[in-house]
């Protein structure tokens, strides 16, 4: 009996150490497990609970390569986004809790509208404003969908301090989706993207939203397939 008990304890320990594999779902609702559909705009540096809406989700049922860091960056370049001007970022990263057991984690990357030039076009966005996005990956052991949650918003120009434009969360989301849906390509990789508007994840209005800018409560789920 002692040997049997030791054997079972060993098996249980090995099982607990094995990472939970990615599950074949679009995404898990972060609020179902203590997470939020608003990120934390303070990055955890203050007591403020204001955040930006996670208003676009890249489905976990997208082509696996799209859900990697490099794969998503290539897709982002196909729809008009790129890395920040000369890699320079002002301000701290924002955090998000996607209800996957990881708690609040820093954004994976922040990308900006490139105005047709993925090399230096984001420098123009830094001056005149434009669309930008933050990426968070849902991959914790409690909800491992692999989905990417995006906080997308339209910014004002540099003289306005890059604040969010009026209705900038809705506008930013809609511009990204309009550029993504259908057929796109970059660097020899072609994509086919579909979109579905979801309600019930984000409440409409401005409660808890950074800059007190109201949203329409719509989150758009996009599924990106490499063709």
């Amino acid at each position: 009996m002692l040997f049997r008990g030791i054997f079972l304890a060993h098996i249980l320990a090995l099982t607990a150490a094995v990472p939970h594999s990615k599950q074949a779902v679009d995404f898990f609702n972060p609020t179902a497990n203590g997470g939020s559909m608003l990120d934390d705009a303070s990055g955890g540096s203050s007591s403020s609970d204001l955040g930006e809406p996670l208003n676009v989700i890249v489905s976990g049922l997208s082509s696996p390569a799209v859900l990697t860091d490099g794969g998503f960056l290539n897709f982002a370049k196909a729809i008009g986004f790129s890395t920040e001007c000369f890699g320079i970022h002002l301000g701290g990263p924002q955090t998000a809790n996607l209800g996957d057991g990881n708690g609040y984690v820093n954004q994976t990357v922040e990308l900006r509208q490139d105005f047709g030039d993925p090399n230096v076009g984001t420098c123009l966005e830094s001056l005149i404003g434009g669309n930008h996005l933050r990426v968070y990956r849902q991959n914790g052991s409690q909800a491992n969908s692999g989905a990417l949650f995006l906080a997308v918003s339209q910014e004002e120009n540099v003289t306005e301090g890059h604040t969010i434009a009026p209705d900038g969360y809705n506008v930013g989301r809609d511009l990204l989706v309009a550029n993504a849906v259908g057929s796109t390509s970059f660097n020899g990789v072609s994509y086919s993207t579909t979109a579905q508007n979801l309600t019930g994840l984000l409440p409409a209005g401005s409660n808890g939203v950074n800059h007190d800018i109201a949203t329409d409560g719509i989150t758009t789920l996009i599924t990106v397939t490499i063709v």
Side-chain angles (χ1 to χ4, degrees):
M1 291 293 293
L2 178 61
F3 174 77
R4 182 172 180 270
I6 294 173
F7 177 75
L8 288 174
H10 182 63
I11 292 298
L12 289 172
L14 287 175
T15 302
V18 175
H20 292 259
S21 59
K22 178 180 179 295
Q23 300 180 52
V25 295
D26 284 313
F27 65 95
F28 293 103
N29 184 347
T31 64
N33 193 33
S36 175
M37 285 296 293
L38 294 174
D39 71 9
D40 180 359
S42 73
S45 62
S46 76
S47 60
S48 171
D49 58 358
L50 297 179
E52 298 188 351
L54 302 174
N55 50 10
V56 175
I57 301 173
V58 182
S59 170
L61 300 180
S62 299
S63 294
V66 173
L67 301 174
T68 66
D69 290 352
F72 178 74
L73 176 58
N74 197 78
F75 169 69
K77 289 181 177 180
I79 64 172
F81 292 85
S82 193
T83 51
E84 296 192 272
C85 180
F86 300 116
I88 299 172
H89 175 68
L90 299 177
Q94 296 185 11
T95 62
N97 181 350
L98 300 181
D100 58 2
N102 286 337
Y104 277 90
V105 297
N106 285 345
Q107 63 199 39
T108 300
V109 70
E110 183 170 351
L111 303 176
R112 299 184 182 278
Q113 186 176 351
D114 66 16
F115 295 95
D117 187 336
N119 295 313
V120 297
T122 56
C123 297
L124 182 60
E125 194 276 344
S126 295
L127 292 174
I128 69 171
N131 215 0
H132 84 309
L133 61 86
R134 305 173 192 271
V135 183
Y136 305 91
R137 179 176 287 108
Q138 189 177 58
N139 64 353
S141 62
Q142 297 177 19
N144 186 10
S145 68
L148 303 178
F149 286 66
L150 313 183
V152 190
S153 57
Q154 182 84 353
E155 289 185 315
E156 299 277 29
N157 62 43
V158 68
T159 64
E160 298 293 332
H162 287 295
T163 189
I164 306 302
D167 200 28
Y169 297 119
N170 295 336
V171 170
R173 176 201 63 212
D174 291 347
L175 287 173
L176 181 149
V177 173
N179 287 337
V181 168
S183 299
T184 55
S185 64
F186 186 82
N187 197 29
V189 183
S190 297
Y191 306 95
S192 177
T193 302
T194 59
Q196 177 185 0
N197 285 340
L198 306 176
T199 57
L201 292 172
L202 278 167
S206 61
N207 186 35
V209 179
N210 203 27
H211 305 295
D212 197 34
I213 295 174
T215 76
D216 57 15
I218 293 174
T219 302
T220 303
L221 175 70
I222 62 173
T223 303
V224 185
T225 305
I226 295 176
V227 295

